[in-house]
Amino acid sequence: NSIAGVHRVFGITTWAAMTLTVIAGAIDYNNLYGFGDGIGDNPCVKGSAVFGDDFGCRGGIRTIKSVAAYTTGALYATTFTLSLMMPDPDDLASGKGEFASTLRLHKTLRWVHFGGMVAQIVLGLLMAGRIGGLDRANNYGTLQALSTVHLATGLITWGALTWAGALMTF
């Protein structure tokens, strides 16, 4: 029970950080790629970026997104580790009834959002050019496609984490 209480606090904190990351990421995606815009037609090029050219395109929103993403990653790693450390001595997850069913679904969703977090890290490293050597001038279409998958994966991961948390909170 003591681990469960700490896990709950970290879970809610992780969810809040992930929510900020998804919002900042969606704004950054819109500014850099629009929704299907070409290299010369995206909001940063056209001067119609959310939060303007300086903050929206030259680092402000990207910095917020990066700090939120790293914070989310650290909080998530802690929350996930706590979830693995929680014993189930009474084997509640295997029982019958609504609570057992809810606990099983919560544990299943843990693997869904874990897979999403791993995918997000790999996609983020690819898009940042840390692996693969991609850059916006020469690989715009590839980066736009990766960013679209990154955004969709972020939304799915956020949804799985939200669902898992809601199951145990409400």
Side-chain angles (χ1 to χ4, degrees):
N1 279 338
S2 63
I3 294 174
V6 174
H7 173 73
R8 184 174 294 111
V9 169
F10 270 94
I12 292 168
T13 306
T14 301
W15 177 85
M18 187 182 288
T19 300
L20 177 60
T21 305
V22 168
I23 292 167
I27 292 168
D28 190 43
Y29 175 84
N30 173 71
N31 289 346
L32 293 175
Y33 300 105
F35 286 87
D37 293 339
I39 193 166
D41 297 323
N42 62 66
C44 281
V45 171
K46 292 174 104 178
S48 60
V50 176
F51 299 124
D53 193 39
D54 286 335
F55 192 81
C57 298
R58 290 188 174 61
I61 196 69
R62 177 155 286 176
T63 300
I64 289 171
K65 179 189 151 224
S66 294
V67 169
Y70 288 123
T71 301
T72 299
L75 289 167
Y76 184 85
T78 302
T79 307
F80 185 80
T81 301
L82 287 168
S83 78
L84 296 176
M85 293 172 52
M86 281 194 288
D88 188 4
D90 296 329
D91 201 26
L92 295 174
S94 297
K96 294 181 181 180
E98 186 176 337
F99 181 78
S101 176
T102 299
L103 186 57
R104 282 191 299 276
L105 180 55
H106 181 76
K107 287 181 172 189
T108 298
L109 287 167
R110 163 180 59 191
W111 296 108
V112 174
H113 52 70
F114 175 76
M117 290 296 288
V118 170
Q120 289 296 80
I121 291 167
V122 171
L123 288 165
L125 290 171
L126 275 170
M127 291 181 311
R130 292 192 174 97
I131 53 176
L134 300 173
D135 66 80
R136 279 180 53 83
N138 298 307
N139 308 107
Y140 182 86
T142 301
L143 286 169
Q144 185 179 42
L146 288 171
S147 293
T148 302
V149 172
H150 186 64
L151 178 61
T153 302
L155 290 168
I156 291 166
T157 303
W158 179 84
L161 187 71
T162 300
W163 188 5
L167 283 171
M168 302 311 284
T169 303
F170 300 110

